[in-house]
Amino acid sequence: MAEAALAPRRCAGCGTELAEVLLACPACARLVHADALVRLTAEARKQEEQGDLAAALASWQQALALLPAATRQNAAVASTVARLSALAPAAPSAPAAPSWLRKLGPVGVVALAAWKLLGVTKFAAFLSLVASFALYWQTWGVAFGGGFLASIYLHELGHVAALRWAGIPASPPMFIPGVGAYVRMHRAPPDARTDALVGLAGPLAGLAVALAFQIAWLATGAPLLRALAHAGAVLNLFNLVPLWSLDGARGLAPLAQWQRWILVLAVGGAWAVTREGMLVLILIVGALRALAPGAPAKPDHPALALFAAIAVALSMLALYSRG
């Protein structure tokens, strides 16, 4: 999953339910981080008056990340950031690769990749991957453990691909052994729809991976592939539960109240056909979210269609891959 909120928030002005990544209320246009912006602006001006341009630049950059794009405030702060960037001392660049690596030709390419991995935070992501693989290997064996971890990894790459499409920098997938994985966004999506599409991109990629395991099972008859297809389908259905930081919470956020009920009906229909237990959890939480006030007034049809299609497809795949 792409890292998101632990619980829905409310607009301080009108009470509308807000996705964690929203920078302005979709109903009343109130800035979500108004208090933080006042504080950062005061700090930045004081730092600039004291001649600490680097600190002032950092404060203005933090403020810029909290302002919605295409607003006058964003444009004004961006202009200040550009001005200070030209005045403030440049940050030290990343160290170049050692000269001996560049002389190794093709071998140096592999060595350079390893050198970069050891030199940046990607190494922590690699260690988390190794730790998760060790746990799943000991629990289910190397074949199933490796396939299950690949399903999680490709699910996270779905988030990464969507974030790159949206122009949002993000961390590499970080694994939590026995729990799952997440991708940390370095900038908030510009609106609730983009955030929903980023959130749903993970289960969509997970659906593709589970379907590939299912097709491979049909071609080979290997029980392991069928088990991986079913595990992948159920895992991604769990991620569609609209609760906490799961992908389903982000997919549900831009839906109007009547759309949430349509989604509940679609999930209920899928459960009637497949009797997949994970759908019951989506149904219960989805109904509670549909009953709660504060849903956006403006509907989001693409997010609804994508959410419902993924949920139905995963439930059907879970049915046909069930042992």
Side-chain angles (χ1 to χ4, degrees), residues 8-319:
R9 299 180 301 170
R10 302 283 175 180
C11 174
C14 65
T16 298
E17 181 180 312
L18 300 174
E20 178 69 15
V21 297
L22 285 182
L23 302 178
C25 175
C28 69
R30 178 187 174 94
L31 292 176
V32 174
H33 303 287
D35 294 339
L37 285 165
V38 170
R39 175 181 57 79
L40 286 168
T41 299
E43 288 179 358
R45 288 173 177 165
K46 182 178 179 180
Q47 289 159 344
E48 189 170 358
E49 289 174 359
Q50 294 173 344
D52 192 350
L53 299 185
L57 176 60
S59 296
W60 282 120
Q61 288 173 330
Q62 291 180 55
L64 184 62
L66 301 180
L67 287 167
T71 60
R72 286 180 298 176
Q73 299 99 317
N74 184 287
V77 174
S79 176
T80 302
V81 167
R83 175 177 60 82
L84 289 177
S85 296
L87 297 174
S93 58
S99 58
W100 61 270
L101 275 180
R102 297 196 295 269
K103 296 178 180 178
L104 293 179
V107 176
V109 174
V110 178
L112 176 60
W115 180 80
K116 287 185 175 181
L117 182 64
L118 291 170
V120 296
T121 55
K122 290 181 181 178
F123 186 53
F126 176 72
L127 287 180
S128 71
L129 174 67
V130 171
S132 290
F133 177 62
L135 175 63
Y136 299 141
W137 179 4
Q138 291 298 315
T139 305
W140 296 310
V142 63
F144 186 88
F148 186 72
L149 188 63
S151 297
I152 298 175
Y153 182 71
L154 292 171
H155 170 110
E156 297 304 321
L157 287 188
H159 291 309
V160 172
L163 287 166
R164 288 185 177 177
W165 164 79
I168 300 171
S171 71
M174 292 290 295
F175 290 82
I176 305 174
V179 176
Y182 68 92
V183 171
R184 185 185 297 276
M185 295 181 288
H186 296 323
R187 188 173 70 241
D191 51 55
R193 171 180 290 182
T194 302
D195 185 48
L197 295 180
V198 168
L200 293 173
L204 181 61
L207 169 63
V209 175
L211 185 59
F213 280 129
Q214 177 76 356
I215 293 173
W217 168 70
L218 292 173
T220 64
L224 172 66
L225 296 172
R226 183 177 188 176
L228 286 170
H230 186 260
V234 174
L235 173 68
N236 284 279
L237 278 174
F238 173 73
N239 270 279
L240 289 180
V241 177
L243 186 67
W244 294 323
S245 59
L246 296 176
D247 299 326
R250 306 173 67 193
L252 188 79
L255 303 187
Q257 191 167 29
W258 64 268
Q259 289 186 306
R260 297 181 180 191
W261 283 116
I262 289 179
L263 180 64
V264 169
L265 289 175
V267 172
W271 176 81
V273 173
T274 65
R275 289 298 193 270
E276 172 53 50
M278 195 60 69
L279 292 173
V280 176
L281 188 56
I282 300 176
L283 270 173
I284 294 173
V285 179
L288 291 174
R289 294 290 302 275
L291 287 169
K298 184 178 179 181
D300 191 322
H301 302 301
L304 171 62
L306 183 60
F307 198 139
I310 295 174
V312 171
L314 283 171
S315 61
M316 295 303 296
L317 181 59
L319 172 65

